[in-house]
Each structure stands twice: as C-alpha cells, then as structure tokens.
Amino acid sequence: MSKLLLLGDEAIAQGGLDAGISGIYAYPGTPSTEIMEYVQMSKMAEERNVFRNWSVNEKTAMEAALGMSYAGKRSMVCMKHVGLNVAADPFMNAAITGVNGGMVVVVADDPSMHSSQNEQDSRFYGKFALVPVLEPANQQEAYDMAFRGFDLSEKYGVPVMLRLTTRLAHSRSGVERVKAREENKLKLPEDPRQFVLLPVIARKRYKLLLSNQESFETESDKSDFNRYIPGDDKSVGFIVCGLAWNYLMENFNERPLRNPVLKLCQYPLPRKMVEQIANDCDELIVIEDGYPLVEESLKGFLERGIKVRGRLDGTLPRDGELNPDHVARAVGLEVKSGKNIPPVVTNRPPAMCKGCSHIDMYNALLEALEKYGKGRVFSDIGCYTLGALEPFNAINSCVDMGASITMAKGAADAGLFPSVAVIGDSTYTHSGITGLLDCVNDRSPVTVIISDNLTTGMTGGQQSSATGRITEICKGVGVEPDHVRVINPLKKHHEENREIIKEELEYRGVSVIIAQRECIQTVMRKKKDNKSKQ
Amino acid sequence: MKIDIILSGVGGQGIVSIAATIGMAAIAENLNLKQSEVHGMSQRGGAVQSNLRISDKEILSDLIPNGQADLILSVEPMESLRYLPYLSEDGWLVTNTTPFVNIPNYPDIEEIMNEIRAIPNHVAIDADKMAKETGSPRSSNMVMLGAASPYINLPLKRFEEGIRKIFERKGEDVVSANLKALYAGREFAQENK
C-alpha cells in the first residue's frame, strides 16, 4: 500500500479505523480536534457507518465510548489534555470496570501552551489509572499504536491511553497502512456485573487491575516500540520518551552516537530495559516532552541511586515544549545560531476576527459596565477569551470550561454586584448549564452573557451541540423568561444592546443575555462553499 | 539532499496552501517530508509558521534546529524577520513586502525593509501588487512560491502539478491564474537576486 501523508492526529484516526473501531467520541480541543475531523471526512468511516458525531463534552464522550465497549465493539475517544480532567471520573473508573470491546483513549497534550491554559502531562493520568500508555515518536508510530493499542486493550480487558503532544499532532509525514480488519460483532460482557462498581465488585476488579500490572510491565519490555540501543561510551546513557527520540537523533544524524540509548514509547516503565541501561551507565539523562515523569520515578525522592539528570536539575528546561536545540545542549553538543530577531519585530498576538460578534458584545458590555468599575467579568474558554487583550481588557478570568458562570456566582455570593459571566454557546452546553442551575437554585444576582455564535469557533467551527436551543435550555433550567434576553450584536444595535445589558445588570436575580450572531468565519466558509457549488 | 524551509505569515493568510504545494512536489519526487503546522488559537490573526523539511534521507525532528533553515518564505514582511535565528548562514529569505497590519503598534515599514535589506541573501517582492497585475489578486501566495522556487531544489513542473491538483476543483481559470502568479514570482526572483 502506498504511503499517506498524514498529521499525527490523522494517523491515529486512520489507525483506529483500520483497527476496526465502530465509533469515535470527542469534544473539539486543540491539538486533538483533527482526529475526529479526519474520521468525519473518511470514506471508509462512511462506508462502515462508524459513529462519528461530536459529544457535548469529554465526560459524555468517554462514557459513550465505554458503553460502546460494553456492547463488545471497539471505540476510540479523543480529547486534549485538559479535557481529560473533565473526563477523569469515567476514565479512572473505566480502568476498574475494564472493557469488553477494545477502547483507546487518545489524549493530546500541549506543552508550551500553544493553545491551552496549562501544560499538564497526561501520562500521570495513565499511571494514576494504572493502565498502559503508548507515546508515539512519529506519525508512523501514531498509526501503529492506534491500531495495536486495541490489541493490548482487548488482550487484558483494559482501556489503553495513547498520549501525544502538539508537535506530533500537527505535523505531517508519510504513513504506511496495514490491512484493515473487521469491526467486532455485538457481544455482551461475559460477566453481567463486570461494569457494576458496587464496592464489593469494585474491590475485586481493582485487585484484577493490580494483578495485571506485572503483565503490563512485561508487555513494555517486549514491545518493539521500546528499544535499547547499546553503546560504548557508558559515562552517560539517554532515556528518550516519545517524540524526544527525534530530537536526540536529529543531533546524531551526521555524527556517531556512542552512548547507550533507551527509546521509551510504552508504559508502565519496562523494568528490564531500565535496569539494563542503569546498570550499563554511570549516569542517565532523561529527555521527555512534558513533565519529568520518568526522571522523577528513576531519581527517587532521596536520590540514592544512579545520578539522573533532566528537567529537574536544569539539564533541560523545566517547562515548555522541547526542541532539537534543547536536547543538543543537554547532551553537550554545540548549538548553531542564525541572526537575532531584530528589535523592530513586535509581538503579534491572536485577535478576534474583523466582524466578529464577540467584539460588538464586548463593546456594549464595557459601556454598560462603565459606572460600576473594572474587575467584575468572569469569562471562559473560547475565542472571546481574546477579550482579555487590547483594546478590550474586558475580562478578569479564564480558568476552565464553564467556570465563568460558577465563578461569577461565587463572587456574587461574596457580595460583588454586579457580577458578570461571559461564555460561548458551545462552552455553555459543555459545562455551563449545571452552573446556571446552581445560580437559579440560589437566585444569585449574576448576569450571564452567552455569546452565541452558533458554532465551536476557536477549534475551527465544529457543530455546537445546542444551536437554536440555547434560549429554551436557559428557560428550562429555570431562569425567569423575562430575564432571558436575546440581542443581536451588531454595531447598528449598539445603543439598544447596551441598554438591555444595563437593565439586566441591575436585576438582583439570575439574568441571561444571549448575544446571538453567527461566527464570521463560518459565514465566510458557507459563502465560499456555495460559490464553488455553483 | 535536504531542504529545510520555514514558512511564515499571519493566521488566516493561508501559508498552508504553499506548504501543501511544496509538499506535493516533494512527494512526487519520492522524497521524505515532515511538515509541522499551527492550528488553534494563533490561527486567529496571530503570528504563524510552518516547518517544512524535505530530504532524501530519513527526517527525524519535526522542528528545524537553530541556524539550519535553507529558506525562510514569508507572506508578510515583519513575520519574515521573526524566524531569523533559524536561518543558516547561506540561507535565503524570500518575503512579501505588503504588510498585514492587524496590531495597533505595527512598526514603521521602512525600518522593517531596512532589516530585510541587511540580509545578504534576500528577495523582497510585492506579491499583492504582482498578483493583481497578473489578474488574480487572491493568488499572491503562489507569487511567493514562485519567488522562492529558485531556492527550492525541486523541478518547477512538480509545483505546476501541485497547483493543478489543489485548484482543479475550482476550475481551469483559477488553475491558470495561479500558474501565471507562480511564473511571475519566479521571473521576478531570477531578475532581482
């Protein structure tokens, strides 16, 4: 079969399809979005009728994937690292229930926070849940791991985590496919109580998971994703995880590598291989993209064993994405440098698009808030977070999906009045509805602005789960109908919109203002599509 | 044989279409390719870049190391300077001269041009103007590809094929407009070394 030119994300999607998934579940989030998007565009997925719709959030996605696995079929669930926080509850417990059909949990981390609010390392979650973790070094491995992850999952009846980082997720290279296999047939679990985590059953299931740990280690030792390469310069050995392999080898492309190297792409740690490199070498340098997980495990709190260097002792930077130059310095090689960036070059941060509805919403809100002073707008995750930047300086928080409403409530509980939340439509359905119910139950004096652009904008315009139904949902949650106001955020309605916001800011109960206008990017894309159809 | 290229511009300027055309050309020549792109937040009008690596040997890092890029191909003048630490000593900088002003403190364009002119190997081309002159204002990215093509060691016919593939569903007019833009850019670069 000829090679396909695929992003790391796309390679995973194709690997899952070829492994015989019957469904893929996800909520959009950079850098994981393109996995689902690839499946949605895939002819093979269409022919097989693979389930491929966006979920409301990562938790519902994870649970649906587990349900599909319960029914005996293979499922894939994809998210960004912080999405796994949302899905942590089903994830941790899926390790205890185990799976029936194979289940692979794909998590894309974002070191350097290219498009995220933190750079947490999902391998910790894998370790926490006691499940095998696969971490590809390149696009081909991303494909292979997605495929073979299902074998591992079905062999031991556990979910398997596939962890990658932004760089690989969004980098393209040639990928060779293997022969696609059939989907599983519908088949219920042999033990009808396997998934019933009553304490008496959960304790048994947990012991089973614990007893499998040794086998997982053996799998890591046997895995050809992990490789020990001996070398005669034993003063130092390199342990390189996932993508870091490329950065090390880039530096030894044209010069011989004399040190022993352990390429580490499958966890738990392969005990025999780690022992071998530790026995062979005087000290170790651990190179990993993310937190110093392996480094910490090997170093130990008391540091009584072999000397281990890496991110913790400054051999590599403590935070941020790695690159070939960091690795060159860490292993003692000289780094070339081009010219410096001339001082005339100024920062160009991302900004809301020209014609964006969030801009008109902020302009009206800022004027309405003038008399109360600054510091009272809680916001959320989406394009409107860019309202934090010049010239708006409009918001005072962005923490996690849905936190705008609940933080505004907490501040209102503390006596801040008015207290305002700004949240997008997709984020509202993801995690805002429950918070709004808290507000309604306590009759909290908050003003919630749902900046409804009818799409999931920041990630590229995916379907938003309640388009056209936001007003009804707010009323259904119990917001008084008189205080659910819909405005059209356009310049020509500016005065009117400002007055409506002013009125609701003064209301000492829950009010919701839905600022509704389609995302300008979506509008332009539709125009373009129509044009090319004509 | 290896070519390391940094493509730069502003989110929304469509550097991905240039990357795709070069990528197709490399694949058609049976070369290895790694191309890293920017998705997500920066696509909203922020500074964006793409690392494009082509080689007849295995390519390891998805990122180009410092001081090793053979070419910076920028569709915006200030953005061409942001990646100078990656440019190798004998590398080329090929940039559009039409600024994309979406920040209030965009510097004086003359200062930017002075810095560009200070790079010994540079081609500065008003791709927007040239695209208009060739009759297709939206083909400025292909003008840029044409201007960079003398410094990318791949046969011109591969770029032509790539353009055909990318634009064919938009009709023969769009294909020929983009081809014209490619030739115009190439001619300019050859005359203005």
Side-chain angles (χ1 to χ4, degrees):
Chain A
M1 231 179 267
S2 72
K3 279 194 178 184
L4 297 172
L5 189 58
L6 299 179
L7 293 176
D9 273 349
E10 296 170 342
I12 287 170
Q14 188 64 54
L17 285 170
D18 289 343
I21 56 169
S22 299
I24 174 167
Y25 297 88
Y27 179 82
T30 311
S32 70
T33 312
E34 293 76 13
I35 308 172
M36 172 66 100
E37 287 188 324
Y38 181 90
V39 176
Q40 289 181 338
M41 300 293 287
S42 153
K43 227 175 152 184
M44 176 179 173
E46 194 184 331
E47 281 163 12
R48 289 190 168 192
N49 199 21
V50 171
F51 182 88
R52 52 189 188 282
N53 290 342
W54 294 108
S55 300
V56 171
N57 66 33
E58 293 86 355
K59 179 176 182 287
T60 65
M62 183 83 72
E63 290 156 349
L66 188 62
M68 180 168 274
S69 157
Y70 173 93
K73 300 212 174 184
R74 298 189 188 98
S75 64
M76 184 175 255
V77 53
C78 313
M79 64 206 67
K80 68 184 293 174
H81 56 333
V82 286
L84 185 52
N85 296 334
V86 178
D89 201 358
F91 175 67
M92 294 301 294
N93 291 312
I96 311 286
T97 62
V99 303
N100 184 24
M103 175 166 156
V104 170
V105 178
V106 184
V107 192
D109 292 355
D110 190 19
S112 279
M113 306 178 221
H114 296 284
S115 209
S116 306
Q117 65 272 44
N118 77 23
E119 58 173 35
Q120 66 186 59
D121 186 329
S122 299
R123 293 176 303 165
F124 279 91
Y125 265 118
K127 198 177 163 170
F128 192 15
L130 299 165
V131 299
V133 176
L134 304 169
E135 187 188 10
N138 54 42
Q139 292 78 357
Q140 184 65 52
E141 279 193 352
Y143 173 87
D144 295 338
M145 284 177 174
F147 193 102
R148 283 156 60 187
F150 284 98
D151 299 338
L152 195 60
S153 172
E154 290 185 350
K155 183 171 175 187
Y156 293 100
V158 284
V160 167
M161 179 190 280
L162 173 45
R163 182 247 186 185
L164 74 165
T165 55
T166 310
R167 194 52 57 191
L168 181 57
H170 290 161
S171 174
R172 239 173 253 285
S173 194
V175 170
E176 222 164 313
R177 287 172 65 187
V178 297
K179 193 171 172 285
R181 71 177 163 208
E182 295 298 309
E183 295 171 56
N184 282 349
K185 297 227 156 43
L186 199 71
K187 177 180 156 281
L188 292 176
E190 277 167 28
D191 172 4
R193 300 204 304 174
Q194 180 192 331
F195 288 78
V196 186
L197 292 187
L198 273 171
V200 60
I201 301 165
R203 284 183 206 116
K204 281 186 201 144
R205 294 292 314 174
Y206 184 49
K207 279 193 194 301
L208 177 67
L209 178 65
L210 290 173
S211 72
N212 271 330
Q213 295 304 304
E214 209 180 307
S215 308
F216 296 166
E217 249 180 47
T218 311
E219 289 287 344
S220 292
D221 264 316
K222 285 193 311 193
S223 168
D224 52 14
F225 296 128
N226 292 335
R227 203 166 356 133
Y228 182 61
I229 303 137
D232 39 275
D233 179 358
K234 297 195 167 131
S235 59
V236 56
F238 306 134
I239 297 184
V240 280
C241 305
L243 188 70
W245 164 257
N246 303 338
Y247 299 148
L248 179 73
M249 298 317 283
E250 174 76 27
N251 283 295
F252 292 96
N253 215 357
E254 283 160 11
R255 54 169 83 85
L257 174 54
R258 297 209 171 84
N259 308 73
V261 181
L262 173 55
K263 171 181 176 283
L264 184 52
C265 293
Q266 180 170 339
Y267 309 80
L269 288 177
R271 184 168 296 275
K272 285 187 184 142
M273 284 178 169
V274 172
E275 272 173 358
Q276 188 177 359
I277 191 166
N279 288 339
D280 283 357
C281 300
D282 302 334
E283 62 175 62
L284 297 173
I285 295 180
V286 182
I287 308 167
E288 49 196 328
D289 218 0
Y291 286 11
L293 175 134
V294 174
E295 184 185 354
E296 227 168 38
S297 323
L298 299 184
K299 200 181 183 100
F301 185 73
L302 297 174
E303 295 193 43
R304 283 186 180 162
I306 181 171
K307 181 163 186 189
V308 180
R309 292 160 56 198
R311 284 188 184 266
L312 291 171
D313 72 338
T315 300
L316 286 157
R318 181 64 180 81
D319 61 340
E321 182 187 15
L322 293 179
N323 64 40
D325 299 315
H326 292 137
V327 176
R329 278 185 212 105
V331 304
L333 296 172
E334 211 176 301
V335 174
K336 277 193 204 167
S337 187
K339 291 190 172 53
N340 291 333
I341 304 172
V344 63
V345 176
T346 40
N347 268 348
R348 193 190 308 255
M352 288 180 278
C353 310
K354 213 170 147 188
C356 170
S357 65
H358 300 315
I359 293 178
D360 293 300
M361 177 276 294
Y362 276 128
N363 284 336
L365 174 64
L366 285 173
E367 268 188 41
L369 273 171
E370 249 167 29
K371 71 169 183 184
Y372 304 99
K374 295 217 170 276
R376 46 188 77 245
V377 180
F378 301 88
S379 192
D380 229 297
I381 314 279
C383 289
Y384 47 93
T385 318
L386 297 169
L389 307 177
E390 294 284 348
F392 303 99
N393 301 310
I395 64 168
N396 308 101
S397 81
C398 157
V399 180
D400 69 274
M401 298 286 281
S404 55
I405 296 178
T406 27
M407 281 183 72
K409 177 190 189 300
D413 292 345
L416 184 73
F417 183 84
S419 185
V420 182
V422 172
I423 186 169
D425 50 314
S426 187
T427 307
Y428 171 67
T429 50
H430 178 290
S431 288
I433 300 172
T434 43
L436 187 61
L437 182 55
D438 271 342
C439 298
V440 166
N441 289 346
D442 293 336
R443 225 178 158 268
S444 310
V446 294
T447 306
V448 177
I449 297 182
I450 302 179
S451 202
D452 179 7
N453 61 1
L454 292 76
T455 191
T456 312
M458 181 64 97
T459 45
Q462 295 76 18
Q463 174 205 325
S464 175
S465 52
T467 298
R469 288 175 292 151
I470 300 281
T471 313
E472 291 315 306
I473 290 174
C474 293
K475 288 181 188 163
V477 166
V479 182
E480 295 159 78
D482 288 352
H483 294 282
V484 180
R485 314 279 297 263
V486 181
I487 63 173
N488 183 356
L490 275 173
K491 223 181 210 163
K492 63 178 178 188
H493 302 307
H494 176 73
E495 275 81 28
E496 184 191 340
N497 292 343
R498 181 191 60 210
E499 293 312 308
I500 291 173
I501 298 174
K502 270 188 179 169
E503 278 170 42
E504 295 306 327
L505 286 174
E506 275 302 317
Y507 179 61
R508 301 243 165 204
V510 183
S511 43
V512 174
I513 298 161
I514 302 167
Q516 202 168 58
R517 178 156 70 79
E518 192 171 8
C519 168
I520 195 78
Q521 293 285 346
T522 320
V523 172
M524 289 194 297
R525 203 172 315 131
K526 279 184 189 161
K527 254 190 202 160
K528 233 178 169 179
D529 288 351
N530 283 338
K531 221 174 156 188
S532 62
K533 267 177 212 156
Q534 279 162 12
Chain B
M1 176 267 186
K2 73 115 191 164
I3 315 165
D4 284 336
I5 305 170
I6 290 185
L7 293 163
S8 61
V10 180
Q13 281 192 302
I15 60 171
V16 173
S17 70
I18 305 180
T21 316
I22 303 175
M24 278 182 197
I27 295 289
E29 287 288 297
N30 272 320
L31 295 163
N32 294 314
L33 172 80
K34 271 195 179 175
Q35 182 215 326
S36 135
E37 311 172 350
V38 173
H39 296 224
M41 195 175 240
S42 298
Q43 278 179 303
R44 301 276 163 271
V48 294
Q49 48 79 27
S50 167
N51 279 216
L52 188 57
R53 312 195 73 187
I54 297 165
S55 176
D56 54 1
K57 298 199 190 74
E58 188 192 359
I59 302 165
L60 288 148
S61 171
D62 297 79
L63 292 171
I64 299 167
N66 261 327
Q68 288 190 37
D70 304 293
L71 172 68
I72 291 176
L73 170 46
S74 182
V75 296
E76 206 280 343
M78 180 171 80
E79 295 310 318
S80 76
L81 300 170
R82 200 181 295 281
Y83 307 95
L84 279 185
Y86 293 95
L87 191 62
S88 77
E89 255 168 56
D90 49 2
W92 279 81
L93 183 142
V94 178
T95 183
N96 187 1
T97 57
T98 308
F100 187 94
V101 182
N102 65 341
I103 44 172
N105 55 338
Y106 194 93
D108 179 11
I109 183 69
E110 261 319 296
E111 271 185 62
I112 291 173
M113 289 312 298
N114 285 340
E115 293 289 351
I116 290 169
R117 289 186 205 110
I119 310 291
N121 296 338
H122 78 268
V123 176
I125 176 170
D126 190 341
D128 290 53
K129 191 170 152 219
M130 188 167 284
K132 262 180 224 144
E133 284 167 6
T134 57
S136 170
R138 289 173 61 187
S139 63
S140 68
N141 281 357
M142 291 305 125
V143 173
M144 288 313 303
L145 176 61
S149 63
Y151 310 105
I152 308 172
N153 189 12
L154 293 170
L156 185 67
K157 72 164 197 274
R158 296 299 189 195
F159 294 133
E160 297 166 347
E161 289 164 11
I163 287 174
R164 247 171 226 298
K165 251 190 211 163
I166 289 175
F167 295 106
E168 71 186 342
R169 61 182 186 93
K170 293 185 179 168
E172 188 50 39
D173 288 356
V174 178
V175 171
S176 65
N178 279 284
L179 285 174
K180 251 168 127 180
L182 178 83
Y183 301 139
R186 186 176 171 90
E187 199 178 317
F188 178 92
Q190 283 166 336
E191 286 168 5
N192 295 274
K193 271 186 200 176

